[in-house]
mmCIF file with all atom_site columns, all heavy atoms in Angstrom:
data_model
loop_
_atom_site.group_PDB
_atom_site.id
_atom_site.type_symbol
_atom_site.label_atom_id
_atom_site.label_alt_id
_atom_site.label_comp_id
_atom_site.label_asym_id
_atom_site.label_entity_id
_atom_site.label_seq_id
_atom_site.pdbx_PDB_ins_code
_atom_site.Cartn_x
_atom_site.Cartn_y
_atom_site.Cartn_z
_atom_site.occupancy
_atom_site.B_iso_or_equiv
_atom_site.pdbx_formal_charge
_atom_site.auth_seq_id
_atom_site.auth_comp_id
_atom_site.auth_asym_id
_atom_site.auth_atom_id
_atom_site.pdbx_PDB_model_num
ATOM 1   N N   . THR I 1 1  ? 65.233 -32.588 325.933 1.00 98.00 ? 1414 THR I N   1
ATOM 2   C CA  . THR I 1 1  ? 66.544 -32.244 326.484 1.00 98.00 ? 1414 THR I CA  1
ATOM 3   C C   . THR I 1 1  ? 66.299 -31.607 327.857 1.00 98.00 ? 1414 THR I C   1
ATOM 4   O O   . THR I 1 1  ? 65.153 -31.427 328.274 1.00 98.00 ? 1414 THR I O   1
ATOM 5   C CB  . THR I 1 1  ? 67.316 -31.260 325.580 1.00 98.00 ? 1414 THR I CB  1
ATOM 6   O OG1 . THR I 1 1  ? 66.873 -29.917 325.827 1.00 98.00 ? 1414 THR I OG1 1
ATOM 7   C CG2 . THR I 1 1  ? 67.146 -31.598 324.100 1.00 98.00 ? 1414 THR I CG2 1
ATOM 8   N N   . SER I 1 2  ? 67.372 -31.244 328.541 1.00 98.00 ? 1415 SER I N   1
ATOM 9   C CA  . SER I 1 2  ? 67.203 -30.643 329.862 1.00 98.00 ? 1415 SER I CA  1
ATOM 10  C C   . SER I 1 2  ? 66.648 -29.227 329.789 1.00 98.00 ? 1415 SER I C   1
ATOM 11  O O   . SER I 1 2  ? 66.213 -28.676 330.808 1.00 98.00 ? 1415 SER I O   1
ATOM 12  C CB  . SER I 1 2  ? 68.547 -30.628 330.602 1.00 98.00 ? 1415 SER I CB  1
ATOM 13  O OG  . SER I 1 2  ? 69.510 -29.883 329.869 1.00 98.00 ? 1415 SER I OG  1
ATOM 14  N N   . THR I 1 3  ? 66.629 -28.637 328.589 1.00 98.00 ? 1416 THR I N   1
ATOM 15  C CA  . THR I 1 3  ? 66.156 -27.262 328.449 1.00 98.00 ? 1416 THR I CA  1
ATOM 16  C C   . THR I 1 3  ? 65.074 -27.082 327.390 1.00 98.00 ? 1416 THR I C   1
ATOM 17  O O   . THR I 1 3  ? 64.411 -26.036 327.364 1.00 98.00 ? 1416 THR I O   1
ATOM 18  C CB  . THR I 1 3  ? 67.318 -26.315 328.076 1.00 98.00 ? 1416 THR I CB  1
ATOM 19  O OG1 . THR I 1 3  ? 67.922 -26.780 326.858 1.00 98.00 ? 1416 THR I OG1 1
ATOM 20  C CG2 . THR I 1 3  ? 68.369 -26.285 329.186 1.00 98.00 ? 1416 THR I CG2 1
ATOM 21  N N   . GLU I 1 4  ? 64.877 -28.074 326.518 1.00 98.00 ? 1417 GLU I N   1
ATOM 22  C CA  . GLU I 1 4  ? 63.957 -27.907 325.402 1.00 98.00 ? 1417 GLU I CA  1
ATOM 23  C C   . GLU I 1 4  ? 63.080 -29.134 325.184 1.00 98.00 ? 1417 GLU I C   1
ATOM 24  O O   . GLU I 1 4  ? 63.451 -30.260 325.538 1.00 98.00 ? 1417 GLU I O   1
ATOM 25  C CB  . GLU I 1 4  ? 64.721 -27.630 324.100 1.00 98.00 ? 1417 GLU I CB  1
ATOM 26  C CG  . GLU I 1 4  ? 65.417 -26.286 324.063 1.00 98.00 ? 1417 GLU I CG  1
ATOM 27  C CD  . GLU I 1 4  ? 66.021 -26.007 322.695 1.00 98.00 ? 1417 GLU I CD  1
ATOM 28  O OE1 . GLU I 1 4  ? 66.612 -26.928 322.090 1.00 98.00 ? 1417 GLU I OE1 1
ATOM 29  O OE2 . GLU I 1 4  ? 65.894 -24.854 322.240 1.00 98.00 ? 1417 GLU I OE2 1
ATOM 30  N N   . VAL I 1 5  ? 61.935 -28.879 324.563 1.00 98.00 ? 1418 VAL I N   1
ATOM 31  C CA  . VAL I 1 5  ? 61.029 -29.929 324.089 1.00 98.00 ? 1418 VAL I CA  1
ATOM 32  C C   . VAL I 1 5  ? 60.876 -29.719 322.583 1.00 98.00 ? 1418 VAL I C   1
ATOM 33  O O   . VAL I 1 5  ? 60.310 -28.715 322.155 1.00 98.00 ? 1418 VAL I O   1
ATOM 34  C CB  . VAL I 1 5  ? 59.654 -29.847 324.779 1.00 98.00 ? 1418 VAL I CB  1
ATOM 35  C CG1 . VAL I 1 5  ? 58.715 -30.922 324.239 1.00 98.00 ? 1418 VAL I CG1 1
ATOM 36  C CG2 . VAL I 1 5  ? 59.800 -29.967 326.294 1.00 98.00 ? 1418 VAL I CG2 1
ATOM 37  N N   . LEU I 1 6  ? 61.418 -30.641 321.794 1.00 98.00 ? 1419 LEU I N   1
ATOM 38  C CA  . LEU I 1 6  ? 61.369 -30.526 320.340 1.00 98.00 ? 1419 LEU I CA  1
ATOM 39  C C   . LEU I 1 6  ? 60.229 -31.403 319.834 1.00 98.00 ? 1419 LEU I C   1
ATOM 40  O O   . LEU I 1 6  ? 60.292 -32.630 319.936 1.00 98.00 ? 1419 LEU I O   1
ATOM 41  C CB  . LEU I 1 6  ? 62.702 -30.943 319.715 1.00 98.00 ? 1419 LEU I CB  1
ATOM 42  C CG  . LEU I 1 6  ? 63.958 -30.293 320.312 1.00 98.00 ? 1419 LEU I CG  1
ATOM 43  C CD1 . LEU I 1 6  ? 65.200 -30.755 319.558 1.00 98.00 ? 1419 LEU I CD1 1
ATOM 44  C CD2 . LEU I 1 6  ? 63.856 -28.772 320.298 1.00 98.00 ? 1419 LEU I CD2 1
ATOM 45  N N   . VAL I 1 7  ? 59.177 -30.783 319.311 1.00 98.00 ? 1420 VAL I N   1
ATOM 46  C CA  . VAL I 1 7  ? 57.969 -31.489 318.885 1.00 98.00 ? 1420 VAL I CA  1
ATOM 47  C C   . VAL I 1 7  ? 58.015 -31.642 317.372 1.00 98.00 ? 1420 VAL I C   1
ATOM 48  O O   . VAL I 1 7  ? 58.052 -30.644 316.642 1.00 98.00 ? 1420 VAL I O   1
ATOM 49  C CB  . VAL I 1 7  ? 56.697 -30.711 319.291 1.00 98.00 ? 1420 VAL I CB  1
ATOM 50  C CG1 . VAL I 1 7  ? 55.450 -31.533 318.994 1.00 98.00 ? 1420 VAL I CG1 1
ATOM 51  C CG2 . VAL I 1 7  ? 56.750 -30.325 320.758 1.00 98.00 ? 1420 VAL I CG2 1
ATOM 52  N N   . MET I 1 8  ? 57.995 -32.893 316.901 1.00 98.00 ? 1421 MET I N   1
ATOM 53  C CA  . MET I 1 8  ? 58.141 -33.158 315.470 1.00 98.00 ? 1421 MET I CA  1
ATOM 54  C C   . MET I 1 8  ? 56.894 -33.827 314.910 1.00 98.00 ? 1421 MET I C   1
ATOM 55  O O   . MET I 1 8  ? 56.446 -34.852 315.427 1.00 98.00 ? 1421 MET I O   1
ATOM 56  C CB  . MET I 1 8  ? 59.349 -34.065 315.230 1.00 98.00 ? 1421 MET I CB  1
ATOM 57  C CG  . MET I 1 8  ? 60.641 -33.547 315.807 1.00 98.00 ? 1421 MET I CG  1
ATOM 58  S SD  . MET I 1 8  ? 61.994 -34.693 315.512 1.00 98.00 ? 1421 MET I SD  1
ATOM 59  C CE  . MET I 1 8  ? 63.139 -34.161 316.804 1.00 98.00 ? 1421 MET I CE  1
ATOM 60  N N   . GLU I 1 9  ? 56.363 -33.220 313.863 1.00 98.00 ? 1422 GLU I N   1
ATOM 61  C CA  . GLU I 1 9  ? 55.232 -33.792 313.147 1.00 98.00 ? 1422 GLU I CA  1
ATOM 62  C C   . GLU I 1 9  ? 55.738 -34.286 311.793 1.00 98.00 ? 1422 GLU I C   1
ATOM 63  O O   . GLU I 1 9  ? 56.249 -33.504 310.988 1.00 98.00 ? 1422 GLU I O   1
ATOM 64  C CB  . GLU I 1 9  ? 54.126 -32.755 312.976 1.00 98.00 ? 1422 GLU I CB  1
ATOM 65  C CG  . GLU I 1 9  ? 52.856 -33.295 312.385 1.00 98.00 ? 1422 GLU I CG  1
ATOM 66  C CD  . GLU I 1 9  ? 52.205 -34.389 313.216 1.00 98.00 ? 1422 GLU I CD  1
ATOM 67  O OE1 . GLU I 1 9  ? 52.445 -34.449 314.443 1.00 98.00 ? 1422 GLU I OE1 1
ATOM 68  O OE2 . GLU I 1 9  ? 51.438 -35.184 312.634 1.00 98.00 ? 1422 GLU I OE2 1
ATOM 69  N N   . PHE I 1 10 ? 55.619 -35.588 311.558 1.00 98.00 ? 1423 PHE I N   1
ATOM 70  C CA  . PHE I 1 10 ? 56.141 -36.207 310.338 1.00 98.00 ? 1423 PHE I CA  1
ATOM 71  C C   . PHE I 1 10 ? 55.057 -36.265 309.271 1.00 98.00 ? 1423 PHE I C   1
ATOM 72  O O   . PHE I 1 10 ? 53.903 -36.589 309.553 1.00 98.00 ? 1423 PHE I O   1
ATOM 73  C CB  . PHE I 1 10 ? 56.638 -37.617 310.635 1.00 98.00 ? 1423 PHE I CB  1
ATOM 74  C CG  . PHE I 1 10 ? 58.018 -37.660 311.234 1.00 98.00 ? 1423 PHE I CG  1
ATOM 75  C CD1 . PHE I 1 10 ? 58.266 -37.154 312.503 1.00 98.00 ? 1423 PHE I CD1 1
ATOM 76  C CD2 . PHE I 1 10 ? 59.076 -38.210 310.524 1.00 98.00 ? 1423 PHE I CD2 1
ATOM 77  C CE1 . PHE I 1 10 ? 59.532 -37.184 313.056 1.00 98.00 ? 1423 PHE I CE1 1
ATOM 78  C CE2 . PHE I 1 10 ? 60.352 -38.249 311.066 1.00 98.00 ? 1423 PHE I CE2 1
ATOM 79  C CZ  . PHE I 1 10 ? 60.587 -37.738 312.327 1.00 98.00 ? 1423 PHE I CZ  1
ATOM 80  N N   . LYS I 1 11 ? 55.464 -35.980 308.023 1.00 97.00 ? 1424 LYS I N   1
ATOM 81  C CA  . LYS I 1 11 ? 54.539 -36.041 306.899 1.00 97.00 ? 1424 LYS I CA  1
ATOM 82  C C   . LYS I 1 11 ? 55.202 -36.718 305.705 1.00 97.00 ? 1424 LYS I C   1
ATOM 83  O O   . LYS I 1 11 ? 56.354 -36.433 305.377 1.00 97.00 ? 1424 LYS I O   1
ATOM 84  C CB  . LYS I 1 11 ? 54.082 -34.635 306.492 1.00 97.00 ? 1424 LYS I CB  1
ATOM 85  C CG  . LYS I 1 11 ? 53.293 -33.889 307.563 1.00 97.00 ? 1424 LYS I CG  1
ATOM 86  C CD  . LYS I 1 11 ? 51.985 -34.590 307.906 1.00 97.00 ? 1424 LYS I CD  1
ATOM 87  C CE  . LYS I 1 11 ? 51.225 -33.852 309.002 1.00 97.00 ? 1424 LYS I CE  1
ATOM 88  N NZ  . LYS I 1 11 ? 50.005 -34.594 309.421 1.00 97.00 ? 1424 LYS I NZ  1
ATOM 89  N N   . ASP I 1 12 ? 54.446 -37.600 305.052 1.00 96.00 ? 1425 ASP I N   1
ATOM 90  C CA  . ASP I 1 12 ? 54.871 -38.209 303.792 1.00 96.00 ? 1425 ASP I CA  1
ATOM 91  C C   . ASP I 1 12 ? 54.264 -37.404 302.650 1.00 96.00 ? 1425 ASP I C   1
ATOM 92  O O   . ASP I 1 12 ? 53.409 -37.892 301.906 1.00 96.00 ? 1425 ASP I O   1
ATOM 93  C CB  . ASP I 1 12 ? 54.396 -39.668 303.717 1.00 96.00 ? 1425 ASP I CB  1
ATOM 94  C CG  . ASP I 1 12 ? 55.010 -40.547 304.785 1.00 96.00 ? 1425 ASP I CG  1
ATOM 95  O OD1 . ASP I 1 12 ? 56.100 -40.216 305.282 1.00 96.00 ? 1425 ASP I OD1 1
ATOM 96  O OD2 . ASP I 1 12 ? 54.393 -41.570 305.124 1.00 96.00 ? 1425 ASP I OD2 1
ATOM 97  N N   . LYS I 1 13 ? 54.665 -36.162 302.522 1.00 95.00 ? 1426 LYS I N   1
ATOM 98  C CA  . LYS I 1 13 ? 54.077 -35.260 301.538 1.00 95.00 ? 1426 LYS I CA  1
ATOM 99  C C   . LYS I 1 13 ? 55.168 -34.482 300.823 1.00 95.00 ? 1426 LYS I C   1
ATOM 100 O O   . LYS I 1 13 ? 56.305 -34.383 301.312 1.00 95.00 ? 1426 LYS I O   1
ATOM 101 C CB  . LYS I 1 13 ? 53.106 -34.279 302.225 1.00 95.00 ? 1426 LYS I CB  1
ATOM 102 C CG  . LYS I 1 13 ? 51.908 -34.928 302.884 1.00 95.00 ? 1426 LYS I CG  1
ATOM 103 C CD  . LYS I 1 13 ? 50.997 -33.911 303.540 1.00 95.00 ? 1426 LYS I CD  1
ATOM 104 C CE  . LYS I 1 13 ? 49.791 -34.566 304.197 1.00 95.00 ? 1426 LYS I CE  1
ATOM 105 N NZ  . LYS I 1 13 ? 48.915 -33.573 304.869 1.00 95.00 ? 1426 LYS I NZ  1
ATOM 106 N N   . ASN I 1 14 ? 54.795 -33.911 299.694 1.00 95.00 ? 1427 ASN I N   1
ATOM 107 C CA  . ASN I 1 14 ? 55.734 -33.113 298.907 1.00 95.00 ? 1427 ASN I CA  1
ATOM 108 C C   . ASN I 1 14 ? 55.440 -31.625 298.972 1.00 95.00 ? 1427 ASN I C   1
ATOM 109 O O   . ASN I 1 14 ? 56.098 -30.840 298.299 1.00 95.00 ? 1427 ASN I O   1
ATOM 110 C CB  . ASN I 1 14 ? 55.692 -33.560 297.436 1.00 95.00 ? 1427 ASN I CB  1
ATOM 111 C CG  . ASN I 1 14 ? 56.146 -34.996 297.270 1.00 95.00 ? 1427 ASN I CG  1
ATOM 112 O OD1 . ASN I 1 14 ? 57.163 -35.401 297.820 1.00 95.00 ? 1427 ASN I OD1 1
ATOM 113 N ND2 . ASN I 1 14 ? 55.386 -35.773 296.507 1.00 95.00 ? 1427 ASN I ND2 1
ATOM 114 N N   . GLU I 1 15 ? 54.456 -31.248 299.793 1.00 95.00 ? 1428 GLU I N   1
ATOM 115 C CA  . GLU I 1 15 ? 54.029 -29.852 299.836 1.00 95.00 ? 1428 GLU I CA  1
ATOM 116 C C   . GLU I 1 15 ? 53.689 -29.444 301.261 1.00 95.00 ? 1428 GLU I C   1
ATOM 117 O O   . GLU I 1 15 ? 53.132 -30.233 302.036 1.00 95.00 ? 1428 GLU I O   1
ATOM 118 C CB  . GLU I 1 15 ? 52.808 -29.654 298.939 1.00 95.00 ? 1428 GLU I CB  1
ATOM 119 C CG  . GLU I 1 15 ? 52.339 -28.216 298.814 1.00 95.00 ? 1428 GLU I CG  1
ATOM 120 C CD  . GLU I 1 15 ? 51.169 -28.069 297.859 1.00 95.00 ? 1428 GLU I CD  1
ATOM 121 O OE1 . GLU I 1 15 ? 50.717 -29.093 297.309 1.00 95.00 ? 1428 GLU I OE1 1
ATOM 122 O OE2 . GLU I 1 15 ? 50.704 -26.934 297.660 1.00 95.00 ? 1428 GLU I OE2 1
ATOM 123 N N   . ILE I 1 16 ? 54.044 -28.223 301.616 1.00 95.00 ? 1429 ILE I N   1
ATOM 124 C CA  . ILE I 1 16 ? 53.707 -27.670 302.924 1.00 95.00 ? 1429 ILE I CA  1
ATOM 125 C C   . ILE I 1 16 ? 52.262 -27.188 302.887 1.00 95.00 ? 1429 ILE I C   1
ATOM 126 O O   . ILE I 1 16 ? 51.902 -26.346 302.066 1.00 95.00 ? 1429 ILE I O   1
ATOM 127 C CB  . ILE I 1 16 ? 54.646 -26.500 303.277 1.00 95.00 ? 1429 ILE I CB  1
ATOM 128 C CG1 . ILE I 1 16 ? 56.099 -26.977 303.359 1.00 95.00 ? 1429 ILE I CG1 1
ATOM 129 C CG2 . ILE I 1 16 ? 54.223 -25.859 304.593 1.00 95.00 ? 1429 ILE I CG2 1
ATOM 130 C CD1 . ILE I 1 16 ? 57.107 -25.845 303.494 1.00 95.00 ? 1429 ILE I CD1 1
ATOM 131 N N   . LEU I 1 17 ? 51.446 -27.739 303.770 1.00 95.00 ? 1430 LEU I N   1
ATOM 132 C CA  . LEU I 1 17 ? 50.028 -27.376 303.823 1.00 95.00 ? 1430 LEU I CA  1
ATOM 133 C C   . LEU I 1 17 ? 49.736 -26.623 305.119 1.00 95.00 ? 1430 LEU I C   1
ATOM 134 O O   . LEU I 1 17 ? 50.269 -26.958 306.182 1.00 95.00 ? 1430 LEU I O   1
ATOM 135 C CB  . LEU I 1 17 ? 49.158 -28.628 303.747 1.00 95.00 ? 1430 LEU I CB  1
ATOM 136 C CG  . LEU I 1 17 ? 49.315 -29.485 302.490 1.00 95.00 ? 1430 LEU I CG  1
ATOM 137 C CD1 . LEU I 1 17 ? 48.404 -30.707 302.573 1.00 95.00 ? 1430 LEU I CD1 1
ATOM 138 C CD2 . LEU I 1 17 ? 49.010 -28.675 301.226 1.00 95.00 ? 1430 LEU I CD2 1
ATOM 139 N N   . ALA I 1 18 ? 48.849 -25.633 305.017 1.00 94.00 ? 1431 ALA I N   1
ATOM 140 C CA  . ALA I 1 18 ? 48.507 -24.814 306.182 1.00 94.00 ? 1431 ALA I CA  1
ATOM 141 C C   . ALA I 1 18 ? 47.951 -25.664 307.320 1.00 94.00 ? 1431 ALA I C   1
ATOM 142 O O   . ALA I 1 18 ? 48.259 -25.430 308.492 1.00 94.00 ? 1431 ALA I O   1
ATOM 143 C CB  . ALA I 1 18 ? 47.510 -23.732 305.782 1.00 94.00 ? 1431 ALA I CB  1
ATOM 144 N N   . ALA I 1 19 ? 47.128 -26.661 306.988 1.00 95.00 ? 1432 ALA I N   1
ATOM 145 C CA  . ALA I 1 19 ? 46.520 -27.498 308.028 1.00 95.00 ? 1432 ALA I CA  1
ATOM 146 C C   . ALA I 1 19 ? 47.579 -28.255 308.819 1.00 95.00 ? 1432 ALA I C   1
ATOM 147 O O   . ALA I 1 19 ? 47.424 -28.468 310.031 1.00 95.00 ? 1432 ALA I O   1
ATOM 148 C CB  . ALA I 1 19 ? 45.536 -28.482 307.397 1.00 95.00 ? 1432 ALA I CB  1
ATOM 149 N N   . ASP I 1 20 ? 48.647 -28.662 308.159 1.00 95.00 ? 1433 ASP I N   1
ATOM 150 C CA  . ASP I 1 20 ? 49.722 -29.385 308.849 1.00 95.00 ? 1433 ASP I CA  1
ATOM 151 C C   . ASP I 1 20 ? 50.491 -28.450 309.783 1.00 95.00 ? 1433 ASP I C   1
ATOM 152 O O   . ASP I 1 20 ? 50.897 -28.857 310.880 1.00 95.00 ? 1433 ASP I O   1
ATOM 153 C CB  . ASP I 1 20 ? 50.675 -30.012 307.837 1.00 95.00 ? 1433 ASP I CB  1
ATOM 154 C CG  . ASP I 1 20 ? 50.002 -31.076 306.982 1.00 95.00 ? 1433 ASP I CG  1
ATOM 155 O OD1 . ASP I 1 20 ? 49.007 -31.662 307.454 1.00 95.00 ? 1433 ASP I OD1 1
ATOM 156 O OD2 . ASP I 1 20 ? 50.462 -31.306 305.854 1.00 95.00 ? 1433 ASP I OD2 1
ATOM 157 N N   . LEU I 1 21 ? 50.682 -27.220 309.360 1.00 95.00 ? 1434 LEU I N   1
ATOM 158 C CA  . LEU I 1 21 ? 51.354 -26.242 310.221 1.00 95.00 ? 1434 LEU I CA  1
ATOM 159 C C   . LEU I 1 21 ? 50.521 -25.959 311.465 1.00 95.00 ? 1434 LEU I C   1
ATOM 160 O O   . LEU I 1 21 ? 51.052 -25.844 312.572 1.00 95.00 ? 1434 LEU I O   1
ATOM 161 C CB  . LEU I 1 21 ? 51.611 -24.946 309.450 1.00 95.00 ? 1434 LEU I CB  1
ATOM 162 C CG  . LEU I 1 21 ? 52.466 -25.037 308.190 1.00 95.00 ? 1434 LEU I CG  1
ATOM 163 C CD1 . LEU I 1 21 ? 52.594 -23.662 307.545 1.00 95.00 ? 1434 LEU I CD1 1
ATOM 164 C CD2 . LEU I 1 21 ? 53.839 -25.613 308.509 1.00 95.00 ? 1434 LEU I CD2 1
ATOM 165 N N   . VAL I 1 22 ? 49.209 -25.849 311.273 1.00 95.00 ? 1435 VAL I N   1
ATOM 166 C CA  . VAL I 1 22 ? 48.305 -25.628 312.408 1.00 95.00 ? 1435 VAL I CA  1
ATOM 167 C C   . VAL I 1 22 ? 48.392 -26.805 313.382 1.00 95.00 ? 1435 VAL I C   1
ATOM 168 O O   . VAL I 1 22 ? 48.403 -26.614 314.613 1.00 95.00 ? 1435 VAL I O   1
ATOM 169 C CB  . VAL I 1 22 ? 46.853 -25.440 311.916 1.00 95.00 ? 1435 VAL I CB  1
ATOM 170 C CG1 . VAL I 1 22 ? 45.877 -25.464 313.087 1.00 95.00 ? 1435 VAL I CG1 1
ATOM 171 C CG2 . VAL I 1 22 ? 46.720 -24.126 311.155 1.00 95.00 ? 1435 VAL I CG2 1
ATOM 172 N N   . GLN I 1 23 ? 48.449 -28.010 312.852 1.00 94.00 ? 1436 GLN I N   1
ATOM 173 C CA  . GLN I 1 23 ? 48.552 -29.199 313.695 1.00 94.00 ? 1436 GLN I CA  1
ATOM 174 C C   . GLN I 1 23 ? 49.817 -29.156 314.549 1.00 94.00 ? 1436 GLN I C   1
ATOM 175 O O   . GLN I 1 23 ? 49.762 -29.336 315.773 1.00 94.00 ? 1436 GLN I O   1
ATOM 176 C CB  . GLN I 1 23 ? 48.558 -30.448 312.810 1.00 94.00 ? 1436 GLN I CB  1
ATOM 177 C CG  . GLN I 1 23 ? 48.619 -31.758 313.580 1.00 94.00 ? 1436 GLN I CG  1
ATOM 178 C CD  . GLN I 1 23 ? 48.681 -32.962 312.652 1.00 94.00 ? 1436 GLN I CD  1
ATOM 179 O OE1 . GLN I 1 23 ? 48.993 -32.831 311.457 1.00 94.00 ? 1436 GLN I OE1 1
ATOM 180 N NE2 . GLN I 1 23 ? 48.398 -34.125 313.186 1.00 94.00 ? 1436 GLN I NE2 1
ATOM 181 N N   . ALA I 1 24 ? 50.965 -28.909 313.933 1.00 96.00 ? 1437 ALA I N   1
ATOM 182 C CA  . ALA I 1 24 ? 52.234 -28.915 314.662 1.00 96.00 ? 1437 ALA I CA  1
ATOM 183 C C   . ALA I 1 24 ? 52.313 -27.781 315.675 1.00 96.00 ? 1437 ALA I C   1
ATOM 184 O O   . ALA I 1 24 ? 52.740 -27.983 316.818 1.00 96.00 ? 1437 ALA I O   1
ATOM 185 C CB  . ALA I 1 24 ? 53.395 -28.831 313.674 1.00 96.00 ? 1437 ALA I CB  1
ATOM 186 N N   . THR I 1 25 ? 51.901 -26.585 315.276 1.00 95.00 ? 1438 THR I N   1
ATOM 187 C CA  . THR I 1 25 ? 51.959 -25.460 316.212 1.00 95.00 ? 1438 THR I CA  1
ATOM 188 C C   . THR I 1 25 ? 50.941 -25.621 317.329 1.00 95.00 ? 1438 THR I C   1
ATOM 189 O O   . THR I 1 25 ? 51.154 -25.152 318.445 1.00 95.00 ? 1438 THR I O   1
ATOM 190 C CB  . THR I 1 25 ? 51.736 -24.122 315.481 1.00 95.00 ? 1438 THR I CB  1
ATOM 191 O OG1 . THR I 1 25 ? 50.497 -24.169 314.755 1.00 95.00 ? 1438 THR I OG1 1
ATOM 192 C CG2 . THR I 1 25 ? 52.869 -23.840 314.505 1.00 95.00 ? 1438 THR I CG2 1
ATOM 193 N N   . GLY I 1 26 ? 49.820 -26.310 317.036 1.00 95.00 ? 1439 GLY I N   1
ATOM 194 C CA  . GLY I 1 26 ? 48.833 -26.573 318.082 1.00 95.00 ? 1439 GLY I CA  1
ATOM 195 C C   . GLY I 1 26 ? 49.377 -27.481 319.167 1.00 95.00 ? 1439 GLY I C   1
ATOM 196 O O   . GLY I 1 26 ? 49.147 -27.258 320.363 1.00 95.00 ? 1439 GLY I O   1
ATOM 197 N N   . TYR I 1 27 ? 50.117 -28.513 318.768 1.00 96.00 ? 1440 TYR I N   1
ATOM 198 C CA  . TYR I 1 27 ? 50.738 -29.394 319.754 1.00 96.00 ? 1440 TYR I CA  1
ATOM 199 C C   . TYR I 1 27 ? 51.726 -28.610 320.618 1.00 96.00 ? 1440 TYR I C   1
ATOM 200 O O   . TYR I 1 27 ? 51.771 -28.768 321.848 1.00 96.00 ? 1440 TYR I O   1
ATOM 201 C CB  . TYR I 1 27 ? 51.478 -30.545 319.072 1.00 96.00 ? 1440 TYR I CB  1
ATOM 202 C CG  . TYR I 1 27 ? 50.596 -31.508 318.316 1.00 96.00 ? 1440 TYR I CG  1
ATOM 203 C CD1 . TYR I 1 27 ? 51.131 -32.323 317.315 1.00 96.00 ? 1440 TYR I CD1 1
ATOM 204 C CD2 . TYR I 1 27 ? 49.238 -31.619 318.580 1.00 96.00 ? 1440 TYR I CD2 1
ATOM 205 C CE1 . TYR I 1 27 ? 50.339 -33.222 316.618 1.00 96.00 ? 1440 TYR I CE1 1
ATOM 206 C CE2 . TYR I 1 27 ? 48.431 -32.505 317.893 1.00 96.00 ? 1440 TYR I CE2 1
ATOM 207 C CZ  . TYR I 1 27 ? 48.985 -33.308 316.904 1.00 96.00 ? 1440 TYR I CZ  1
ATOM 208 O OH  . TYR I 1 27 ? 48.205 -34.193 316.214 1.00 96.00 ? 1440 TYR I OH  1
#
């Protein structure tokens, strides 16, 4: 958008994993 960058990491999973959070926040 003109003011934001929305970064989305898609997962085909049923559980929130720490490694996935690290990946998204790292980007």
